[in-house]
Amino acid sequence: MKSPLVLVTAGPTREKIDPIRFISNYSTGMFGYKIAEEARDRGCRVVLVTGPVSIEPPSGVKTIQVESAIEMQKAVKTWSNKADYIFMAAAVSDWRAADPARAKIKKIGRKMSLELKENPDILKTLGKRKTYRLVGFALETENLIGNAAKKLKNKGLDIIVANRLTKNANLFGDNKIDVLIMDRYGGRDIYKGLSKGRLSKIILDKAFSFNIK
Ligand code: CTP
């Protein structure tokens, strides 16, 4: 029997404004990379779709490098059909420039505005017709439980891993964090001060033992 196929997304996306500028976020990709490595160490076949990050691609993992949300969506679509588990840890940009310029935009000596267009919600699309266990992530600045519960339901997830961005915490990177993990049957656990490596083991344990009722 083939080992399970685990699809993981990681890192930020970059949305071009012009040939030399982009919109992005502070994601380092660490969480997704740790999950991919943990799945590999458990004998799974792993596909990692990653936005631009400065960490090395893990050995023994098929790594697909993408830049924008649209590119990430395409790679995810290709692999989701074959996946048994999907971990959507990427910090996908919610918006892209409505009309990226082909040449460098020059300053004009006055206020300037940029029109944005919403990116597709990759995770929500994945939640519509599931042949896999689906795990989403959420980073919130307020109402952690309420927002996580809403995303769990609205995006059709089995499990959500949520954390809060507080004043002193740097949630991107390898430091220890507090997370709330909820599942679609009302299971709810809080973990405090754990590394992303340790949390990856907990998240995989939960996803792998998750049974559809
Ligand atoms: N996500 C996605 N596609 C997007 C935005 C988010 O697949 N365009 C996924 C992320 O990878 C993550 C989850 O959705 O697993 C939650 O992302 P988050 O940014 O917290 O939520 P949003 O849906 O963007 O909601 P909001 O901006 O209202 O907080």
Side-chain angles (χ1 to χ4, degrees), residues 112-124:
M112 137 99 177
S113 58
L114 177 68
E115 198 186 337
L116 301 177
K117 191 169 164 181
E118 250 185 51
N119 267 329
D121 190 325
I122 305 170
L123 186 57
K124 197 168 179 177

Side-chain angles (χ1 to χ4, degrees), residues 8-15 23-29 49-53 66-74 76 86-96 117-126 135-139 151 155 172:
V8 184
T9 68
T13 63
R14 278 183 187 171
E15 313 297 331
I23 302 168
S24 192
N25 58 65
Y26 289 114
S27 172
T28 62
V49 177
T50 177
V53 294
V66 297
E67 199 164 291
S68 65
I70 299 287
E71 285 172 26
M72 183 169 280
Q73 184 186 41
K74 220 171 127 200
V76 165
I86 301 181
F87 298 87
M88 191 72 205
V92 183
S93 172
D94 283 332
W95 300 279
R96 65 179 184 275
K117 191 169 164 181
E118 250 185 51
N119 267 329
D121 190 325
I122 305 170
L123 186 57
K124 197 168 179 177
T125 311
L126 289 173
V135 180
F137 291 73
L139 178 56
K151 282 179 191 173
K155 299 198 186 205
F172 295 121

Side-chain angles (χ1 to χ4, degrees), residues 119-159:
N119 267 329
D121 190 325
I122 305 170
L123 186 57
K124 197 168 179 177
T125 311
L126 289 173
K128 291 210 168 115
R129 250 194 15 207
K130 300 214 307 275
T131 50
Y132 35 72
R133 297 281 85 78
L134 185 58
V135 180
F137 291 73
L139 178 56
E140 304 292 342
T141 52
E142 57 204 353
N143 188 15
L144 184 70
I145 296 176
N147 284 330
K150 213 158 107 190
K151 282 179 191 173
L152 182 71
K153 188 160 184 279
N154 291 350
K155 299 198 186 205
L157 310 180
D158 297 311
I159 295 171

Side-chain angles (χ1 to χ4, degrees), residues 183-195:
D183 70 46
R184 62 192 281 202
Y185 300 120
R188 190 190 287 185
D189 289 300
I190 290 174
Y191 298 91
K192 287 186 179 257
L194 297 189
S195 69

